[in-house]
Amino acid sequence: MALALILVSPDLVPRPSLSLHPSQEIQEGDNVTLRCHLPWPDAWVQLCQERAFISCMEKYVVQDVAVFSFVITKWVHTGTYRCQYWLSEPAETSEKSDPVELVVTDHTFPPPPISLSPEGRVGIGTNVTIRCRNWYHGATFLHKDGYSAPIQRQDPDDGGIATFTLFQVTPADSGTYRCSYHPKGYPFLSSPLGKRVTLQVTHIPTPPSRYKTHNLMSPVSSTVGSVSASSPQGGGGWGWEHPNTQMPQDPTAGSRGNLVVAVVRCCAAAFVFGLGVFFVVDARSLWIRRDESPGGEGVEWI
């Protein structure tokens, strides 16, 4: 019975929850607010950063929320935060809240381009692929408008492409999507959000012949739909070229090519023939002038 009084009961001391405002696209100089939500008032609250680059913050609150605000002035403010509280009556300490990550957007990193396949409207049950480019090979995140946090996370392949798949989509998957990434080795620095692509899911399945694919990852600068990008190294941009995309061939291309070759050959033959005629006529003129000139028979022509 005594042992039961010593143990902290989660039912008696519920875990607090922690929220961050704003939660995305935080920049240096922004004022951020972390709110620790308590199940009841009158408690001491502590907010700590896991890396402990900055000291824990504490305050006594009489409401059911403790508010901690500060200005992002340097990178040490980034990181993972948790809060917890303790009570005097009864003398209990709560578990720590779930972690909240404070990530700062660095605009020196280029926003990632994005591609959607298939494009346009798709039917219910279609598998949709979204690809994002990450030049710095860190974690890549898929965002959907209306959500405060990324909906998916992927590591890019060796080519710097992160692939997100939405399986058997429904109308609830309709919406606008964007990507961001963290440079490798900098988990609390983020690129700006990239351009948007819009997914429209219809109730009637769309025939496969209407699905469109487009280019993915060409080494030259290009624009696909509303997406355009340039390489961060300044060596030119890159476009999108889906690996399964094959450009349709024109069935008349071969006949047109043969016609061009035949015309060129005819022109070349006519030129050679005309040149030969010119030399023959010129030679005859020279012989005629020699015969008509005085003493022309004794002249040696070289």
Side-chain angles (χ1 to χ4, degrees):
M1 184 68 179
L3 180 62
L5 295 175
I6 296 173
L7 295 176
V8 176
S9 172
D11 295 333
L12 295 177
V13 186
R15 175 184 298 183
S17 63
L18 184 63
S19 61
L20 172 66
H21 307 273
S23 59
Q24 296 187 76
E25 297 194 282
I26 301 171
Q27 303 179 39
E28 183 178 0
D30 286 352
N31 192 327
V32 298
T33 300
L34 287 153
R35 292 187 174 94
C36 187
H37 302 270
L38 312 178
W40 50 59
D42 296 326
W44 278 98
V45 182
Q46 184 181 66
L47 176 71
C48 292
Q49 183 194 57
E50 286 193 349
R51 297 182 299 171
F53 287 132
I54 59 176
S55 301
C56 292
M57 294 171 274
E58 297 179 356
K59 63 171 55 180
Y60 181 80
V61 294
V62 294
Q63 293 91 10
D64 58 357
V65 59
V67 179
F68 301 88
S69 297
F70 52 91
V71 177
I72 302 296
T73 58
K74 46 190 175 182
W75 66 271
V76 294
H77 289 130
T78 66
T80 302
Y81 289 82
R82 295 176 186 262
C83 72
Q84 66 180 148
Y85 66 93
W86 61 94
L87 305 170
S88 56
E89 292 295 337
E92 299 284 3
T93 301
S94 73
E95 297 183 52
K96 292 182 179 180
S97 67
D98 289 331
V100 168
E101 291 187 345
L102 197 164
V103 178
V104 172
T105 299
D106 189 338
H107 286 270
T108 62
F109 297 106
I114 187 172
S115 73
L116 177 68
S117 178
E119 293 179 321
R121 296 182 178 180
V122 300
I124 293 176
T126 304
N127 291 339
V128 175
T129 300
I130 298 175
R131 292 182 174 88
C132 300
R133 181 72 156 94
N134 181 349
W135 289 284
Y136 296 91
H137 300 279
T140 306
F141 300 87
L142 180 65
H143 304 257
K144 185 180 181 183
D145 284 4
Y147 289 76
S148 60
I151 62 171
Q152 288 192 39
R153 177 192 184 278
Q154 290 286 346
D155 292 324
D157 58 22
D158 292 339
I161 305 299
T163 301
F164 302 93
T165 303
L166 306 178
F167 294 99
Q168 298 183 344
V169 295
T170 68
D173 295 306
S174 297
T176 301
Y177 294 83
R178 293 189 287 176
C179 286
S180 68
Y181 61 85
H182 294 178
K184 188 175 183 179
Y186 298 90
F188 301 110
L189 287 181
S190 174
S191 73
L193 289 171
K195 294 289 185 70
R196 294 176 168 88
V197 293
T198 300
L199 173 64
Q200 297 180 351
V201 182
T202 63
H203 289 277
I204 301 176
T206 306
S209 61
R210 293 183 59 186
Y211 293 164
K212 298 180 181 179
T213 59
H214 48 67
N215 291 338
L216 174 68
M217 316 307 293
S218 169
V220 296
S221 178
S222 66
T223 301
V224 180
S226 61
V227 180
S228 64
S230 298
S231 170
Q233 291 82 7
W238 59 273
W240 295 97
E241 181 179 358
H242 193 284
N244 296 327
T245 301
Q246 294 183 354
M247 297 301 294
Q249 296 183 352
D250 186 350
T252 64
S255 60
R256 288 203 302 265
N258 293 336
L259 178 61
V260 171
V261 172
V263 171
V264 171
R265 288 178 176 175
C266 290
C267 292
F271 174 76
V272 172
F273 177 77
L275 192 62
V277 172
F278 170 78
F279 280 115
V280 170
V281 173
D282 186 62
R284 285 179 56 83
S285 300
L286 290 176
W287 279 104
I288 293 172
R289 287 199 299 270
R290 187 193 68 171
D291 293 340
E292 292 177 352
S293 63
E297 295 178 356
V299 178
E300 181 180 358
W301 294 89
I302 298 177

